[in-house]
Amino acid sequence: MSSQLAIEAESLVREFKKGPRAVDGIDLAIVPGEIYGFLGPNGAGKSTTVLMLATLLPPTSGIARVGGFDVVKQGPEVRKTIGAALQEAALDPLLTGREHLRLQASLQALPRSERSTRADELLARVGLADAADRRVRGYSGGMKRRLDLALALVHRPRILFLDEPTTGLDIQSRTALWEEVRRLAKDEGVTVFLTTQYLEEADVLADRVGIIDHGRIVAEGTPDALKAEIGRPTVEVVPADPAEGDRAAAILARFGEPVASVRGVAVRLKTGQADLAEIVRALDGEHVAVAQLQLHQPSLDDVFLAKTGRSLEGADDDGEERPVAGLAMEPA
């Protein structure tokens, strides 16, 4: 195993008594400063993997090192290196946000002179400065998740585990959390291990994605590379005059392989979306009026479907369809 990796695992297994093999021999190699998205449906083994890497659950077999330390033999060293915001935030409803952070700073043995300053810094960073002195029982779900993230950052960890951090949050809260995760990785070099079942979240944030199903990693790579593996973009055209369907199909056939279309004609592009401008010019040059033109990008759900034969719960949130400016559009 390499000492240059932030997180690494070999044949990691967790099997519960009289239960399933929740994690079934996975390998990981995550470099410092990387945002690694761990994507999969509920029950796939995402949270169990995080619990093992965070030393909260012993592996049944296999080896894992976090920050260069063995998760079984060097648990205290691992815990000094990491921060973790798990699915259930452990917050006291009677304490304020500021009191939570000061308490965490004390538990992490920060010098007394730094505790208030660090608390103020983190409250501002996660957008809770105005609510710092309110009791947490009055916080919204998004505010609690942001406070939980701040608590995980008190001791300036080099590695951060986020286990489905945006589940149930509104778009504004999700976006704010995404921005902070990006900043941590880019500006501070923090390695982020992010579990999620939201396709958009993995696509937007992750440098690389591992897709887990039934305890096994079924695909791994950058989001773009994974999508490229299973197909190229598809262009669908609906002529303004249905009688022009054959002419539109003949024009599109110059740019790719014809595929099925419910409302018009479509092709899978040979070289990607760079062909779009040429397609528009070709249609215009032969006076084929277009009612709709849509570009359908391959999605991470397409990858999951190709690898497992089923879709992820987050597929409907992906938003992978890309309308083309200047032409009439409607959802597919």
Side-chain angles (χ1 to χ4, degrees):
M1 305 185 83
S2 172
S3 60
Q4 303 302 313
L5 295 173
I7 300 171
E8 50 189 328
E10 289 183 4
S11 303
L12 194 63
V13 171
R14 176 63 198 193
E15 189 170 4
F16 293 97
K17 292 182 179 178
K18 299 181 180 179
R21 180 174 278 209
V23 176
D24 192 10
I26 67 170
D27 298 325
L28 295 168
I30 301 170
V31 300
E34 183 176 19
I35 300 177
Y36 186 86
F38 207 41
L39 182 65
N42 286 330
K46 302 188 305 294
S47 294
T48 302
T49 300
V50 169
L51 292 174
M52 287 191 287
L53 295 174
T55 77
L56 299 176
L57 189 67
T60 302
S61 63
I63 302 170
R65 294 174 68 86
V66 175
F69 301 108
D70 188 287
V71 298
V72 174
K73 300 176 181 177
Q74 298 172 291
E77 289 85 351
V78 172
R79 289 188 287 275
K80 289 177 184 177
T81 303
I82 68 171
L86 305 182
Q87 287 189 37
E88 297 296 331
L91 303 175
D92 186 329
L94 299 180
L95 295 181
T96 66
R98 192 186 308 278
E99 288 168 342
H100 272 92
L101 284 161
R102 287 178 175 172
L103 174 60
Q104 184 73 356
S106 176
L107 293 172
Q108 294 288 356
L110 264 67
R112 187 179 297 272
S113 60
E114 293 182 18
R115 294 173 190 173
S116 293
T117 302
R118 183 63 174 161
D120 291 344
E121 174 191 340
L122 289 170
L123 286 164
R125 184 184 295 180
V126 299
L128 292 176
D130 292 340
D133 296 310
R134 287 167 47 190
R135 290 185 177 182
V136 166
R137 67 184 177 191
Y139 280 18
S140 67
M143 294 168 72
K144 290 177 181 177
R145 295 303 288 172
R146 283 184 277 147
L147 177 60
D148 199 34
L149 174 61
L151 292 170
L153 297 173
V154 163
H155 58 302
R156 299 179 176 87
R158 293 189 287 119
I159 299 167
L160 180 64
F161 290 99
L162 300 177
D163 192 9
E164 301 198 13
T166 61
T167 298
L169 299 189
D170 58 60
I171 293 297
Q172 183 176 0
S173 295
R174 288 171 66 186
T175 302
L177 193 144
W178 290 354
E179 290 174 355
E180 179 59 17
V181 169
R182 284 197 197 94
R183 194 200 64 78
L184 286 167
K186 180 179 178 181
D187 297 345
E188 299 187 19
V190 175
T191 305
V192 181
F193 190 95
L194 169 74
T195 78
T196 182
Q197 55 181 311
Y198 292 128
L199 294 162
E200 182 186 9
E201 190 160 77
D203 211 352
V204 167
L205 283 181
D207 299 308
R208 280 192 306 138
V209 167
I211 297 178
I212 186 171
D213 187 41
H214 297 302
R216 293 178 175 270
I217 295 178
V218 298
E220 187 178 53
T222 67
D224 286 345
L226 287 173
K227 289 182 285 188
E229 282 182 13
I230 54 89
R232 300 178 302 279
T234 298
V235 169
E236 181 181 42
V237 168
V238 179
D241 180 356
E244 297 277 24
D246 289 343
R247 290 184 64 214
I251 295 168
L252 288 185
R254 304 172 196 168
F255 299 92
E257 171 190 356
V259 295
S261 171
V262 175
R263 294 173 297 174
V265 294
V267 293
R268 183 171 291 112
L269 298 178
K270 295 176 182 177
T271 59
Q273 64 188 61
D275 286 334
L276 272 179
E278 291 297 326
I279 291 173
V280 172
R281 279 194 286 269
L283 290 165
D284 185 60
E286 300 200 23
H287 307 290
V288 176
V290 173
Q292 299 168 35
L293 189 154
Q294 293 177 329
L295 175 69
H296 302 279
Q297 291 281 10
S299 71
L300 288 177
D301 188 58
D302 294 326
V303 177
F304 193 83
L305 181 63
K307 298 291 184 179
T308 69
R310 58 197 179 95
S311 294
L312 285 161
E313 288 94 332
D316 292 340
D317 298 326
D318 196 284
E320 281 293 331
E321 184 174 285
R322 302 290 185 264
V324 181
L327 294 172
M329 300 295 142
E330 66 182 29

